[in-house]
Amino acid sequence: MKERIVIKIGSQVLTRKDGSLNVTQMSALTDQIAELHKNNFEIILVSSGAVASGKTEIKPKTKLDSISARQLYSAVGQVKLINRYYDLFSQHNIHCGQILATKEDFATRRHYLNQRNCMKIMLENKVIPIVNENDAISVNELMFTDNDELSGLIAAMMNCRKLIILSNIDGIFNANPSDPNSQVIREIDVKKDHIEDSIQSSKSTTGRGGMTTKYNIARKAAEEGIEVIIANGNTENILIQIVKEKEKLSTRFKPASKPASGVKKWIAHSEGFAKGEIHINEGAREALLSENAVSLLPVGITEIIGNFEADDIVQVIDKNGNQIGIGKTACDSGKARETLGKTHEKPVIHYDYLYIENKTNS
Ligand code: GLU
């Protein structure tokens, strides 16, 4: 089977200081992607740069609020961006196609599967999907945190083995990157290494992302069995070097050995759509975190918060108020309240639809 890789390119890599599209850089990266494509890798490209390239294209007639400005710039800039990609990939006789995603497309299983099928068909026909957020219509709470989040969702949805996130720094540093003594952390083992507190919360100047979101997304993906590499898109031949596993400066997240199932990956990434909370006691917490395949039974539930239907996504919260997982419910909130604390009742969340963070065997 072909190895499938998601490559995310951030705005900072694709734009010059004045905000215009850096076509030289785009050309260098598309050359590398074309080489990988010809060597039988299936590539899905997640590319930012729409808003940045729209800004240099159009000057609004009146002063716009930030939402309208983003809508205008992205609508205009996305056309420019995708046209560039079209021209660059055409030089290699490669077809590319555009997918504009919104958060809603991941909220229901049906939308999710439609989107997955679309990309599957494209890949089967040797077309490189170029994905970006549909910035023109997704605003405020409907927005992804950034394209790093989107790339993690796509990598999980498409069962990719690798996710490469390119930005304008070499990886995750062990101190402030401007400190000459700081060094890139070469490997993070999600089972052992927790470096949340030491990450610099520097924000990118052109895109929305920062190192903290990159770290969180990379961690989540690696826990699901996806190898994640954060690297500098400006480094020569970076993509080829990463794929050939040649020594290059970058941060690699070692993936968990047992990949999560497709449904579980979808559930894990659906947190933003949770309709309620299920609070559990200590016994249930221990059972769920153990390496056994355990469903969430009414006997371990202490409280149900919110109103949900069967098949909705809910958070699972322990007695200290910490979320330990996410699941798709087997019944509605009324039924869950009726059976709360009782023994010999059917599971409220079946194991197959339960994603527990930090599970011993994951
Ligand atoms: N979708 C945005 C764009 O194309 C970028 C979002 C981000 O920076 O992550 O401009």
Side-chain angles (χ1 to χ4, degrees):
M1 208 179 109
K2 288 184 179 180
E3 187 176 342
R4 198 175 275 177
I5 308 175
V6 170
I7 298 171
K8 186 258 167 175
I9 311 182
S11 304
Q12 327 82 279
V13 182
L14 295 176
T15 47
R16 294 205 169 83
K17 281 208 177 79
D18 65 358
S20 60
L21 269 185
N22 186 341
V23 183
T24 318
Q25 188 61 268
M26 282 179 85
S27 168
L29 289 166
T30 45
D31 283 354
Q32 294 172 59
I33 294 171
E35 189 179 330
L36 295 174
H37 180 86
K38 289 192 174 136
N39 282 301
N40 263 337
F41 287 92
E42 285 185 336
I43 308 291
I44 299 170
L45 181 57
V46 176
S47 178
S48 305
V51 175
S53 48
K55 267 188 196 158
T56 53
E57 191 70 19
I58 185 165
K59 296 281 164 272
K61 287 203 169 81
T62 52
K63 188 164 168 32
L64 298 178
D65 62 76
S66 61
I67 292 176
S68 306
R70 184 168 159 270
Q71 291 183 304
L72 178 71
Y73 293 143
S74 63
V76 174
Q78 179 65 25
V79 179
K80 199 167 140 187
L81 184 73
I82 208 76
N83 266 319
R84 285 282 183 220
Y85 277 122
Y86 175 85
D87 289 341
L88 291 166
F89 280 121
S90 296
Q91 291 170 15
H92 297 277
N93 294 319
I94 294 173
H95 291 292
C96 61
Q98 171 181 267
I99 295 188
L100 295 178
T102 63
K103 216 169 177 180
E104 296 284 279
D105 298 327
F106 292 87
T108 64
R109 185 92 180 134
R110 187 169 341 148
H111 263 197
Y112 184 86
L113 294 178
N114 284 345
Q115 201 175 191
R116 190 170 78 180
N117 191 51
C118 173
M119 279 189 219
K120 188 171 155 270
I121 293 294
M122 288 169 92
L123 293 172
E124 276 169 16
N125 286 282
K126 295 188 176 300
V127 176
I128 297 185
I130 304 181
V131 190
N132 195 0
E133 179 167 11
N134 195 344
D135 298 295
I137 58 162
S138 39
V139 291
N140 293 342
E141 71 282 357
L142 296 176
M143 277 160 67
F144 294 106
T145 314
D146 50 38
N147 268 359
D148 298 324
E149 183 186 15
L150 177 60
S151 65
L153 286 164
I154 302 273
M157 178 172 83
M158 299 309 294
N159 259 330
C160 294
R161 298 257 300 277
K162 248 194 205 48
L163 164 63
I164 303 175
I165 298 181
L166 296 181
S167 78
N168 59 351
I169 54 172
D170 293 331
I172 296 183
F173 283 76
N174 58 1
N176 191 328
S178 57
D179 174 348
N181 294 323
S182 66
Q183 281 179 337
V184 170
I185 303 171
R186 306 304 291 260
E187 187 170 271
I188 295 176
D189 183 340
V190 282
K191 284 211 161 155
K192 296 197 299 234
D193 308 325
H194 283 270
I195 56 153
E196 289 80 349
D197 297 339
S198 58
I199 292 179
Q200 298 298 313
S201 54
S202 58
K203 273 266 202 180
S204 109
T205 42
T206 32
R208 292 207 301 276
M211 234 352 128
T212 309
T213 50
K214 283 188 181 49
Y215 175 78
N216 291 335
I217 300 299
R219 217 189 147 80
K220 195 170 204 171
E223 278 165 2
E224 290 162 4
I226 302 166
E227 180 188 15
V228 186
I229 294 119
I230 299 180
N232 194 332
N234 301 314
T235 307
E236 206 186 332
N237 235 6
I238 186 74
L239 291 172
I240 306 293
Q241 302 293 334
I242 290 173
V243 172
K244 284 189 181 159
E245 293 179 7
K246 287 265 168 66
E247 190 64 10
K248 271 279 169 193
L249 209 52
S250 61
T251 301
R252 171 181 182 265
F253 285 72
K254 196 174 159 210
S257 46
K258 196 167 149 246
S261 74
V263 172
K264 286 205 173 188
K265 282 183 193 162
W266 171 65
I267 289 169
H269 285 281
S270 301
E271 190 173 332
F273 311 108
K275 295 279 185 343
E277 292 175 9
I278 298 189
H279 289 249
I280 59 167
N281 60 26
E282 190 51 25
R285 179 180 177 276
E286 274 170 26
L288 293 178
L289 285 173
S290 74
E291 59 182 25
N292 304 329
V294 177
S295 299
L296 178 55
L297 297 168
V299 67
I301 300 177
T302 53
E303 194 185 0
I304 304 283
I305 296 181
N307 291 319
F308 48 83
E309 305 289 322
D311 291 337
D312 275 347
I313 298 290
V314 293
Q315 293 164 281
V316 180
I317 314 275
D318 72 9
K319 71 176 192 337
N320 298 321
N322 299 320
Q323 178 184 312
I324 65 154
I326 299 275
K328 186 159 83 88
T329 55
C331 61
D332 62 29
S333 47
K335 175 86 181 156
R337 282 193 183 95
E338 253 169 51
T339 57
L340 185 146
K342 293 188 182 158
T343 49
H344 310 299
E345 295 283 346
K346 285 197 182 128
V348 173
I349 305 176
H350 187 271
Y351 170 72
D352 288 343
Y353 299 100
L354 187 57
Y355 175 81
I356 300 293
E357 294 152 28
N358 304 319
K359 194 168 169 75
T360 331
N361 69 345
S362 67

